Amino acid sequence: MMDAQRALTRALAARWPTLTIRDARSVPWASVTFSGDRHVLTIAPGTDLTGIEDAEFDLRGHLVADIAVEVNGAGTTIHALTLHLS
């Protein structure tokens, strides 16, 4: 199974070809019923990510449960939660 971070970055790049990821970090995440990963992707300015919250992503073995964009003085960050499908 492809790891979730790699699958997510490929899916984002396919949908937004001008997207440049400067840094990517993931940490394991779990609840009582689900397991997955939290991702923080720092991106270069210039890509319009309008609609990312409503986008559907095809990640083999994973599901994007939540995704959001944070824009602040330090730059733009994508926060995502992926769940492992078993």
Side-chain angles (χ1 to χ4, degrees):
M1 177 180 354
M2 180 182 292
D3 80 356
Q5 181 176 306
R6 187 176 329 149
L8 178 61
T9 57
R10 285 183 181 177
L12 289 167
R15 185 164 182 122
W16 290 278
T18 61
L19 180 75
T20 300
I21 298 172
R22 291 186 171 168
D23 184 50
R25 297 180 314 276
S26 296
V27 294
W29 174 91
S31 70
V32 173
T33 53
F34 299 104
S35 66
D37 298 286
R38 285 210 172 272
H39 309 275
V40 178
L41 309 171
T42 305
I43 65 168
T47 301
D48 180 7
L49 297 172
T50 301
I52 193 170
E53 292 88 357
D54 299 319
E56 302 251 346
F57 299 97
D58 183 19
L59 310 182
R60 188 176 64 212
H62 306 278
L63 169 75
V64 177
D66 188 36
I67 191 163
V69 175
E70 176 187 5
V71 179
N72 59 41
T76 302
T77 305
I78 298 171
H79 298 273
L81 171 64
T82 56
L83 302 178
H84 299 248
L85 301 176
S86 38

